[in-house]
Amino acid sequence: GNQVLHREVGNQPPSEQLVKEFGYVSLFPFMMKLIDPRSKILGDHLRYLRDESLLWTPHGLRSLATTSKYYNKYNTEHDKPYWRSPIWINVNYLVLNALQHYAREEGPHRLEARRLFHELRKNLIRNIVGQYNKTGFLWENYNDSSGNGMGSHPFTGWTSLFILIASDTDD
């Protein structure tokens, strides 16, 4: 006969809560340009972006802060920390786009946004070109400590945003 599997999940649905870990998810209001260019909140976001204990590296912005209890931890026994440390070019591109936007808006954080745009752009270009020269590949993501390419390769998905990053000097 046919067997039917039944799984009980529990009586209570999960409760809604804010994510307490700082990572790419924390940057969405910034990346979507929803923060007022004159607000203190924008200044805080810029300061958090440049904090090396959070997301900033010499290779690009890592996906999860080093201060997180989940940083570089496996999701499950056989599931690597896919979004828990690597540098993803698609999200870095969105951050660069937001930095460029805020660098053009009137407000007290204009110069800092412009400085961070140029510094992050330089870090990404140096790392991606260096890895390409070393391996001959564009990679799916990059190690936040070494900058080494990781994941799928050759990868011309979102890493192809490199062309837009390299061509946009904001001058």
Side-chain angles (χ1 to χ4, degrees):
N2 291 340
Q3 290 186 342
V4 177
L5 296 177
H6 178 75
R7 180 176 180 197
E8 287 190 34
V9 181
N11 296 334
Q12 298 294 326
S15 61
E16 293 182 13
Q17 59 184 353
L18 292 174
V19 176
K20 296 177 184 176
E21 309 305 322
F22 190 79
Y24 285 166
V25 171
S26 312
L27 300 178
F28 272 92
F30 172 77
M31 291 186 294
M32 298 298 108
K33 305 168 197 146
L34 299 174
I35 302 171
D36 185 308
R38 296 169 300 278
S39 76
K40 177 189 177 306
I41 293 170
L42 178 58
D44 292 341
H45 269 73
L46 296 176
R47 192 172 61 257
Y48 299 149
L49 270 180
R50 188 56 185 85
D51 186 335
E52 293 181 18
S53 73
L54 296 175
L55 306 182
W56 192 271
T57 79
H59 318 293
L61 298 174
R62 66 174 60 90
S63 48
L64 188 62
T66 59
T67 57
S68 169
K69 64 184 175 184
Y70 300 110
Y71 172 73
N72 217 14
K73 300 282 191 254
Y74 273 58
N75 300 318
T76 64
E77 182 182 353
H78 303 289
D79 188 12
K80 294 180 187 176
Y82 205 58
W83 286 95
R84 293 184 174 186
S85 69
I87 296 164
W88 294 83
I89 303 309
N90 52 342
V91 178
N92 276 262
Y93 175 79
L94 291 173
V95 170
L96 282 170
N97 188 267
L99 286 167
Q100 190 175 53
H101 166 78
Y102 287 114
R104 293 176 177 158
E105 294 290 313
E106 289 298 325
H109 311 294
R110 185 178 193 175
L111 293 177
E112 181 64 2
R114 182 173 175 79
R115 186 183 74 75
L116 291 177
F117 168 84
H118 286 290
E119 188 176 359
L120 178 58
R121 180 179 170 273
K122 183 178 84 175
N123 289 351
L124 289 163
I125 291 171
R126 182 179 53 240
N127 191 63
I128 294 170
V129 168
Q131 287 301 300
Y132 182 80
N133 289 338
K134 180 179 171 184
T135 67
F137 295 113
L138 295 177
W139 293 80
E140 182 181 14
N141 56 64
Y142 296 85
N143 183 282
D144 67 309
S145 296
S146 67
N148 289 339
M150 302 189 324
S152 296
H153 67 284
F155 190 81
T156 54
W158 45 74
T159 304
S160 64
L161 288 168
F162 167 76
I163 301 301
L164 295 176
I165 293 169
S167 66
D168 191 355
T169 61
D170 191 40
D171 292 331

